[in-house]
């Protein structure tokens, strides 16, 4: 049987494009999402909240904007145990809808982000998937490439420790 704890709200407004991953170092979950109703000019920006599990209950820290003051169209969260960083891959609607990645580090119940990097110089569509290859210390990001007849695109990236960085390799 399954036992559930008390439901908790991630934030106090409508959200979509939700993705999450577990940070095994901080023993917390990072939830990335688009805030559909943040109010004013922040509507549709990308945010991340840190979740803490206690028994069967969950609580969330305050959402932190990861999209650099830009609206997003998709989000995928991926934790990298080698660098202890959480990376968020998203469609940056303020930069020609390009596929963009940013890395963050958890501190307590919050997360801080480094500089963003473009992983696809085209629109990745509404679905982005990312996976970590721990043996090669690489990530592979998969999406649609609207700049290339909507073919599938896979991009290999190198993840760096310290302030999280993402170096783009080859697109396939």
């Amino acid at each position: 049987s399954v036992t559930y704890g008390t439901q908790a709200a991630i934030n106090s407004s409508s959200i979509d494009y939700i993705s999450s991953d577990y940070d095994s170092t901080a023993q917390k979950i990072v939830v990335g999402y688009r805030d559909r109703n943040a109010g004013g000019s922040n509507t549709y920006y990308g945010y991340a909240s840190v979740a803490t599990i206690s028994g069967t209950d969950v609580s969330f820290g305050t959402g932190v904007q990861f999209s650099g003051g830009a609206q997003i169209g998709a989000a995928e969260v991926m934790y990298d145990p080698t660098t202890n960083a959480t990376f968020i891959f998203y469609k940056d609607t303020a930069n020609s809808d390009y596929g963009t990645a940013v890395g963050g580090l958890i501190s307590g119940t919050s997360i801080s982000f480094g500089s963003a990097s473009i992983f696809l110089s085209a629109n990745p569509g509404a679905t982005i998937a990312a996976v970590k290859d721990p043996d090669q210390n690489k990530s592979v990001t998969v999406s649609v490439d609207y700049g290339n007849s909507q073919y599938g695109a896979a991009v290999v990236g190198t993840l760096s420790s310290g302030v999280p960085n993402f170096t783009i390799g080859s697109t396939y």
Side-chain angles (χ1 to χ4, degrees):
S1 76
V2 178
T3 303
Y4 294 99
T6 305
Q7 177 179 324
I10 296 172
N11 73 357
S12 60
S13 64
S14 175
I15 64 175
D16 60 9
Y17 296 121
I18 304 166
S19 178
S20 62
D21 205 354
Y22 180 70
D23 179 328
S24 58
T25 302
Q27 297 182 339
K28 300 195 184 282
I29 297 168
V30 176
V31 180
Y33 55 92
R34 181 175 77 168
D35 192 328
R36 295 173 46 91
N37 197 22
S41 61
N42 292 341
T43 300
Y44 299 114
Y45 285 9
Y47 286 83
S49 293
V50 175
T52 303
I53 307 297
S54 178
T56 58
D57 293 326
V58 60
S59 60
F60 292 94
T62 302
V64 175
Q65 191 181 120
F66 66 77
S67 60
Q71 295 181 352
I72 67 165
E76 169 76 352
V77 177
M78 182 198 76
Y79 174 69
D80 173 25
T82 305
T83 62
N84 297 325
T86 298
F87 290 83
I88 301 180
F89 303 84
Y90 61 98
K91 178 169 81 170
D92 185 349
T93 61
N95 187 21
S96 303
D97 287 339
Y98 284 178
T100 304
V102 65
L105 297 172
I106 291 178
S107 177
T109 60
S110 189
I111 186 168
S112 57
F113 292 99
S115 299
S117 298
I118 294 170
F119 70 84
L120 184 67
S121 295
N123 182 342
T127 304
I128 301 169
V131 65
K132 164 73 176 178
D133 179 344
D135 295 332
Q136 301 294 319
N137 192 31
K138 306 280 185 193
S139 70
V140 178
T141 307
V142 181
S143 67
V144 174
D145 183 348
Y146 278 86
N148 187 20
S149 303
Q150 298 182 22
Y151 292 167
V155 181
V156 177
T158 301
L159 309 171
S160 302
S161 59
V163 175
N165 292 313
F166 183 82
T167 304
I168 307 306
S170 302
T171 303
Y172 301 94

